[in-house]
Every structure is written in structure tokens, then in C-alpha cells.
Amino acid sequence: MRRYLVAGNWKMNLKQESALALAKALAAACPGGDTRIDVLVAPPFPYLLPVKQAVAGSNVTVGAQNAYFEQPGAFTGETSVEMIADCGCKAVILGHSERRHVLGETDAVINKKVKAVLAKGLDVILCVGELLADRDAGNTEAVLDEQMKGGLAGISEEQMAKIVIAYEPVWAIGTGRTASPEQAESAHAHLRNWLKTHYTAGVADTTRILYGGSVKPDNAAELMGQPDVDGALVGGASLKPEQFLPIIQAAQGLTR
Ligand code: PGA
């Protein structure tokens, strides 16, 4: 059965001291050898290495929030997958709605990044999600299909073992407005069916699909308790141990 993954996306938040304090608190609460669930944090680039060192030996792994698809070279301001791997990261979040809608990333760019990350042996957390206007127009599933098709173009069945999908309705991100458990389950079931149609029943059964968008301690258990929800991608509530730890505990309590 799919193991829960609770991932914290710190976005462009925290400073060196607060990032380290948070990492240490999470490491203390998630000792190594606890294999009930997977826990990952994605700090801003300048803090990847110190955070990685702070969580060493614990059950917390570290990922990046973005990566550039080119090999190391003359790309001022970008960060290669190689560098991210060199910092001990195990995964990269790609296609986040802020990258899509604020930084203008297209499915084609995201797809290049997916391939670059997989080529270096790291996992991908591929985010997909509709705008409120898409949902209101009844286009949620069409938008999800398009983002899945574009983001995963050319990705083989074997490579899917390194991919996690995160369903993040844009209208629920940072707004305090969470998808209802029914809305989340319906989108997740649709995504799982997409995986079955475009890959195999095996890929659909084993690929983890996280929910993201205003996940908080008081809604985490209900959301993650849905049959097709395999964990959470948490933004705001991942910045404070007193909010992130109860979400981790909720997943531990649900362990399948
Ligand atoms: P939020 O962000 O939990 O603050 O809504 C989620 C995300 O963007 O991954």
C-alpha cells in the first residue's frame, strides 16, 4: 500500500536561524528508523545544506523547491539538479502553482525539469491544480489532464516510480480555503484514473498523490483519510513545528 508522505514547502520564508530551529525540532520529533510515513522539507536554496545537516540521522529528508533543467554552466541565477543532489536532496518540487502563475512556467518547461531531475536519480513532486475560474467553469478535470500530459510527456512507466503527484487547487493555496474532503478525493480519484489510462493499473496503484492547499492540523486527518489521498504538501502550516508536527502525527495515525 502507498506510504504517506508529508512534505513541507517553506517557499521564500524563514531566515537561517529560524530555518535551523525548525529543522532541528522536526528531526527531534521524527527519529530515524521510524518508517511509518515519509517526511520531507523543502527549504529555500540558501538553507538546503544547513537544513540537511540539521536533520541528518532523522526520518526527515530534504528537497528543493525548483531546479533548472540545463547542465551546470552559464545560467546566471539558476541552480542545477546536480547541485541540489550534491546538497543531499532526495527530491525536487516542480510545477508549483506559484512557478506556473507568478514565474510563468509552462508545461513544456516543467517537463524538461522533470526529465532533468529524474536523470540525476532524484524524485519529483509534480504539482498540478486548477484556478478558481477553471473550477467554476467546470474545467477542473480538463486542466488536470493537460498538466499531467504536459508535465509527464515522455516519462516511462519505470520512471513513474520516482514521481509523486501533488494536487493543489490554486484557489486553496495560502487562502485558508481548503478543498472539501469530497472535492479532494474526486480530483485525486480522477488523477489516479488518468495514471491508469496513460500508464498501467500498477502505476495508478503505487503512485502517491498528495493534497496541498491550506492543510492545517484541524483538517489534515480528514483530507488524508480519503482513499486516494496519500499525504500532504503543506505551505504555511509547515513553517511552525506546533502546526507541522500535528499534521505529521495525523498521517502516522492513519498509517495504512
Ligand atoms: P498552503 O500552501 O498550505 O500555504 O496553502 C500549499 C502549497 O503551496 O504547497
Side-chain angles (χ1 to χ4, degrees):
M1 198 51 195
R2 300 177 298 271
R3 185 152 69 176
Y4 281 105
L5 166 62
V6 176
N9 172 11
W10 294 358
K11 307 193 180 184
M12 198 172 74
N13 291 301
L14 304 176
K15 293 178 79 172
Q16 200 171 153
E17 204 182 321
S18 49
L20 277 183
L22 175 56
K24 283 181 189 157
L26 298 179
C30 301
D34 182 349
T35 54
R36 284 175 293 172
I37 70 161
D38 294 326
V39 179
L40 178 137
V41 291
F45 282 126
Y47 308 140
L48 282 181
L49 203 49
V51 165
K52 173 67 197 163
Q53 286 158 355
V55 301
S58 78
N59 191 38
V60 180
T61 57
V62 179
Q65 300 174 19
N66 182 31
Y68 196 50
F69 51 77
E70 291 285 2
Q71 295 297 318
F75 300 100
T76 302
E78 293 295 339
T79 304
S80 74
V81 180
E82 207 159 74
M83 293 164 187
I84 291 166
D86 196 30
C87 290
C89 289
K90 294 281 176 256
V92 182
I93 298 172
L94 294 173
H96 189 277
S97 74
E98 287 142 24
R99 303 283 331 160
R100 291 176 188 269
H101 299 296
V102 183
L103 285 308
E105 285 191 16
T106 61
D107 284 320
V109 165
I110 294 161
N111 182 244
K112 283 190 189 182
K113 293 184 171 191
V114 169
K115 289 174 175 161
V117 170
L118 294 178
K120 295 283 178 227
L122 273 63
D123 292 346
V124 168
I125 300 178
L126 175 65
C127 303
V128 295
E130 81 286 0
L131 296 165
L132 185 56
D134 300 322
R135 176 162 284 269
D136 288 346
N139 289 337
T140 297
E141 294 183 352
V143 169
L144 297 181
D145 290 355
E146 191 66 26
Q147 292 176 348
M148 292 287 278
K149 189 168 154 233
L152 295 174
I155 301 305
S156 70
E157 182 183 344
E158 290 69 39
Q159 287 176 306
M160 285 305 293
K162 304 284 284 176
I163 305 256
V164 172
I165 305 294
Y167 169 61
E168 298 207 309
V170 181
W171 47 272
I173 296 178
T175 59
R177 187 180 157 187
T178 321
S180 69
E182 295 73 27
Q183 285 171 321
E185 172 57 24
S186 157
H188 282 233
H190 177 80
L191 289 167
R192 203 172 296 292
N193 196 46
W194 188 96
L195 291 169
K196 189 173 168 195
T197 310
H198 292 79
Y199 288 94
T200 60
V203 168
D205 273 351
T206 50
T207 302
R208 291 185 286 191
I209 307 177
L210 314 183
Y211 170 78
S214 298
V215 176
K216 306 286 175 209
D218 62 358
N219 60 25
E222 205 184 0
L223 286 160
M224 292 191 287
Q226 301 303 308
D228 287 296
V229 179
D230 307 314
L233 181 53
V234 186
S238 73
L239 298 172
K240 294 190 178 132
E242 63 273 23
Q243 290 190 19
F244 197 48
L245 288 173
I247 297 172
I248 292 171
Q249 284 151 5
Q252 287 169 339
L254 289 163
T255 295
R256 296 159 164 155

